[in-house]
Amino acid sequence: MSLMVAKHAGFCFGVKKAIEIAEETALKSKEKTYVYGQLVHNERVIEDLQKKGIEFVENIDDIPENAVTVLRAHGEPGTTYKKLKSKNIDNNNNLKDATCPLVTLVHNVAIKLKNNGYEVIIFGKKNHPESIGTSYHIKGKDTFIVEYPEDSGSVIEHINKNNFGKVAIVSQTTMSVNGYDKLIQNINKNFNDKFEQLSLNLKDMGKNFVFVDTICNPTKQRQSDTEEIAKKADVMIVIGGKNSSNSKELAAKSKEFGVQTYFIQSVEQLKEEWFNNKENIGVTAGASTPDITINEVTDRIKEITSM
Ligand code: SF4
C-alpha cells in the first residue's frame, strides 16, 4: 500500500503573500482591518483571519470611509479602486493591495492586446473574481468569457457576428492547461487553424488571431503533479475550498484518468470505506489549501489504512 502526496500541493506564493499582507496589516493597525471579498478561496483560512479581528465584506458599500482595507489575491477592476478612493482609501492611505503579481500580469497583457487593436476574449469562469477583474480592464461587462472547451462554437459565432479582424484569447490563471489546449484546438478545427500562440512578452502583434498562455506556473505544477499521481492511484483525495477554481480543476483532472476521486474541504469528510481494497492512494491540494489541512488528511488516511 502506498500514499502519494503531490510535491506541489497547498499554498502558492500568491496566496501566502496575500495572507501575510492581511495578517501584518491587521497586526499593525489600531483600527479594524477590512478585506473586500474572500481573500483566498479557503474557508479555514478565512475563519482563522476572522479570529484575528479581520472583517470580510462582500459589498464595497459596507467598508467605512478611511477604513484600513486589504484587496484579495484575485485582483480587482479599476472601478473598485475608484470607489475606495471616494472613501478616502487608496495606496497612499490605508489600502493594501494583495493582488497576486501573476494576476496583474494577465491584466497588463490584456490591456496591451486591447490597445493594439485586439478584441480580447477570456477563457475563465464567468463568476470568478479574477475573470471579472480582468474583464473590467478590457470591456467591462461586454468582455466575452468562455468557460468550457466545448463552447468553442460560441467564440467563433462572436467573432463572425462582429466581424472582428484581430482577436486575442487569454486565460484566467487557474484554468486547466488541457482545457485551454482543447479550446484552441476546437476553435481552430472550425476556423481554418487561424489562432496561433503569442508569447507572454507579446512580441509580434502583427498576427491577427492569437492566444496567450496566461495560466500561472503554480497552477501548472499542481495540475501536472496531480496527473502523475492520478495515473498510478486507485483512489484520489483532492483537498480545497468549495469555491477554489484551481482545486476544482485538480479534481476534474484526476477524474479524467478514471480514478475514484473525492473532493473534500476538511479531514472530517474522509470516509473509511473509500479506502477499502485500495492499494495506491493519492493526495493533492489546491493553491489555497493550508498545510495543516493537508497534514490532517494524510495522518487520518494513515490511521484508517494502518500505514
Ligand atoms: S494561483 Fe497563481 S495567480 Fe493565483 S495566487 Fe497563486 S500564483 Fe497567483
Side-chain angles (χ1 to χ4, degrees):
M1 183 171 272
S2 73
L3 176 62
M4 299 169 283
V5 182
K7 190 166 144 223
H8 297 98
F11 284 174
C12 61
F13 76 90
V15 163
K16 260 189 214 153
K17 188 80 198 149
I19 295 168
E20 267 169 36
I21 290 173
E23 283 178 340
E24 264 176 34
T25 306
L27 204 66
K28 282 185 192 156
S29 170
K30 291 192 190 97
E31 318 288 330
K32 184 187 272 186
T33 296
Y34 288 81
V35 173
Y36 179 39
Q38 275 201 320
L39 184 74
V40 297
H41 284 146
N42 187 279
E43 297 78 9
R44 184 175 191 164
V45 173
I46 301 291
E47 277 164 28
D48 280 353
L49 292 170
Q50 280 169 331
K51 282 181 201 147
K52 292 177 180 163
I54 294 174
E55 183 155 340
F56 290 84
V57 295
E58 289 301 326
N59 187 340
I60 200 161
D61 295 335
D62 294 336
I63 302 176
E65 292 224 347
N66 295 307
V68 177
T69 304
V70 177
L71 294 181
R72 58 189 157 194
H74 308 103
E76 289 295 332
T79 46
T80 299
Y81 294 90
K82 268 192 204 147
K83 272 194 190 164
L84 289 173
K85 184 141 180 69
S86 72
K87 291 170 183 265
N88 204 24
I89 303 164
D90 60 29
N91 283 330
N92 302 318
N93 195 15
N94 286 348
L95 181 64
K96 297 284 173 202
D97 192 346
T99 302
C100 175
L102 298 183
V103 173
T104 306
L105 178 74
V106 184
H107 294 170
N108 292 339
V109 164
I111 292 167
K112 206 164 169 191
L113 288 164
K114 178 192 158 192
N115 292 343
N116 278 275
Y118 286 100
E119 167 70 14
V120 182
I121 290 173
I122 301 170
F123 174 49
K125 301 289 180 210
K126 289 177 185 161
N127 292 327
H128 194 279
E130 185 192 321
S131 282
I132 295 170
T134 305
S135 70
Y136 271 80
H137 287 280
I138 315 167
K139 279 172 87 175
K141 287 193 185 77
D142 293 333
T143 301
F144 195 90
I145 302 177
V146 53
E147 293 200 1
Y148 305 104
E150 297 74 29
D151 293 339
S152 59
S154 67
V155 177
I156 298 173
E157 199 185 311
H158 177 64
I159 298 170
N160 288 338
K161 198 170 78 191
N162 294 285
N163 217 5
F164 294 125
K166 267 185 114 177
V167 178
I169 306 176
V170 298
S171 173
Q172 184 181 310
T173 55
T174 50
M175 296 299 277
S176 151
V177 173
N178 291 350
Y180 198 21
D181 283 348
K182 192 102 194 102
L183 174 74
I184 302 298
Q185 275 173 30
N186 288 350
I187 295 172
N188 270 344
K189 228 186 280 167
N190 295 304
F191 205 66
N192 297 328
D193 280 330
K194 282 188 187 167
F195 275 90
E196 297 175 71
Q197 182 156 13
L198 181 61
S199 59
L200 252 184
N201 59 21
L202 305 185
K203 283 205 175 127
D204 194 10
M205 284 202 274
K207 294 171 182 168
N208 287 343
F209 296 94
V210 297
F211 64 96
V212 186
D213 178 5
T214 48
I215 297 173
C216 73
N217 272 337
T219 292
K220 287 178 182 166
Q221 286 166 332
R222 280 154 188 74
Q223 287 180 10
S224 64
D225 284 5
T226 300
E227 194 172 316
E228 273 309 298
I229 294 177
K231 279 180 194 163
K232 300 176 206 149
D234 308 314
V235 59
M236 282 288 288
I237 307 298
V238 181
I239 319 163
K242 268 188 250 160
N243 297 326
S244 164
S245 167
N246 75 88
S247 304
K248 283 190 259 186
E249 288 298 344
L250 296 183
K253 173 154 283 295
S254 170
K255 283 179 192 160
E256 273 172 28
F257 290 89
V259 54
Q260 188 88 44
T261 301
Y262 298 98
F263 181 38
I264 61 168
Q265 282 70 57
S266 65
V267 65
E268 292 77 25
Q269 291 168 287
L270 281 179
K271 293 205 168 82
E272 291 187 20
E273 60 263 31
W274 294 349
F275 305 99
N276 286 346
N277 305 318
K278 303 291 186 209
E279 277 302 313
N280 301 308
I281 300 161
V283 175
T284 187
S288 45
T289 310
D291 282 351
I292 185 169
T293 306
I294 302 172
N295 292 337
E296 284 169 359
V297 168
T298 52
D299 286 350
R300 177 72 188 125
I301 292 173
K302 285 178 194 160
E303 207 176 271
I304 292 171
T305 58
S306 315
M307 258 187 228

